[in-house]
């Protein structure tokens, strides 16, 4: 997580409800405008730096005044590698390359979240199990507008189409290729069995 840099460091015109928007991320403004801070947020490395930790990330800061144009304050540049190495303090420079303040990133973490393929590579076994809802809320099976209706032309109903679409993908990862199928909410009529 990274602390979002301040929008305003020059006046008290920014209210606590100001929101700093960058790349579609909303970081909630907290504290005074003379020493501002923002709540922590998460951003994927793919979005921030295309997953390349050596790519420079440029942050521009502006002072927001309601009903007026944003006033440019300054900018700073960092890389994820710098943050990983412990750098947390950056000089905020204006367009004339003069220092207009210091930005301190109070919190930074790189969190590796495994993806589906990582679990498979790690030896996780997957078992596909399916269940069908036979309750009356899906309609009477003999009516064509029911989710369970059997198409006279041999086409699939919505349940069959959904089960097939999902199963065709997941069955490739099922370790034994056996799929238990359950149903609930029905009253089975099997003469001689029940």
């Amino acid at each position: 997580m990274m602390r979002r840099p301040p929008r305003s460091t020059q006046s008290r015109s920014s209210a606590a409800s100001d929101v700093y928007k960058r790349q579609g991320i909303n970081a909630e403004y907290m504290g005074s405008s003379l020493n501002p801070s923002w709540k922590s947020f998460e951003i994927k490395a793919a979005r921030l730096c295309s997953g390349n930790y050596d790519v420079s990330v440029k942050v521009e800061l502006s002072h927001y005044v309601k009903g007026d144009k944003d006033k440019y304050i300054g900018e700073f540049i960092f890389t994820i590698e710098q943050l990983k190495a412990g750098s947390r303090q950056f000089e905020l420079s204006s367009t004339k390359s003069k220092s207009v303040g210091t930005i301190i990133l109070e919190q930074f973490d790189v969190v590796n979240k495994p993806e589906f393929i990582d679990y498979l590579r790690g030896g996780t076994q997957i078992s596909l199990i399916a269940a069908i809802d036979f309750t009356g809320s899906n309609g009477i099976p003999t009516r064509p507008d029911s989710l369970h209706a059997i198409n006279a032309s041999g086409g699939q109903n919505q349940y069959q189409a959904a089960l097939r679409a999902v199963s065709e993908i997941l069955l490739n990862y099922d370790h034994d290729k056996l799929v238990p199928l359950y149903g609930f909410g029905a009253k089975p009529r099997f003469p001689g069995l029940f």
Side-chain angles (χ1 to χ4, degrees):
M1 298 238 205
M2 295 188 320
R3 212 22 120 183
R4 174 59 70 199
R7 275 198 92 163
S8 170
T9 58
Q10 298 182 355
S11 77
R12 295 197 177 271
S13 61
S14 296
S17 62
D18 285 350
V19 175
Y20 181 78
K21 295 179 182 177
R22 184 176 183 274
Q23 294 186 357
I25 298 168
N26 297 331
E28 188 177 331
Y29 173 80
M30 304 174 350
S32 72
S33 60
L34 295 178
N35 189 19
S37 64
W38 276 255
K39 284 188 177 179
S40 296
F41 66 94
E42 291 183 18
I43 184 170
K44 292 188 177 204
R47 187 171 183 192
L48 182 66
C49 58
S50 300
N52 184 346
Y53 291 0
D54 292 316
V55 168
S56 294
V57 177
K58 179 179 177 182
V59 178
E60 294 180 348
L61 295 123
S62 299
H63 174 68
Y64 171 77
V65 179
K66 190 174 181 177
D68 201 359
K69 272 179 99 174
D70 288 355
K71 180 182 172 190
Y72 175 82
I73 295 173
E75 61 192 48
F76 69 98
I77 297 173
F78 68 91
T79 66
I80 301 299
E81 283 299 333
Q82 284 177 312
L83 297 177
K84 286 174 68 177
S87 297
R88 296 289 190 275
Q89 192 166 319
F90 301 92
E91 287 298 315
L92 185 62
S93 303
S94 69
T95 52
K96 299 172 186 168
S97 296
K98 74 174 199 174
S99 178
V100 292
T102 302
I103 299 296
I104 300 171
L105 299 176
E106 295 176 352
Q107 182 181 356
F108 169 78
D109 296 307
V110 174
V111 179
N112 293 318
K113 294 183 179 178
E115 296 183 5
F116 180 69
I117 195 72
D118 297 322
Y119 287 104
L120 295 177
R121 287 181 182 146
T124 300
Q125 290 186 346
I126 294 175
S127 293
L128 176 60
I129 300 172
I132 299 174
D133 176 6
F134 288 111
T135 59
S137 64
N138 292 306
I140 300 169
T142 56
R143 297 193 52 182
D145 60 340
S146 168
L147 295 175
H148 294 288
I150 295 175
N151 193 331
S153 65
Q156 296 180 336
N157 63 33
Q158 292 179 15
Y159 267 115
Q160 291 169 320
L163 277 170
R164 172 167 279 200
V166 172
S167 299
E168 283 179 346
I169 295 168
L170 295 179
L171 195 57
N172 293 315
Y173 302 102
D174 191 296
H175 74 283
D176 61 4
K177 307 289 188 235
L178 299 174
V179 181
L181 179 63
Y182 297 94
F184 61 93
K187 294 179 182 175
R189 295 185 190 149
F190 298 117
L193 292 177
F194 297 100

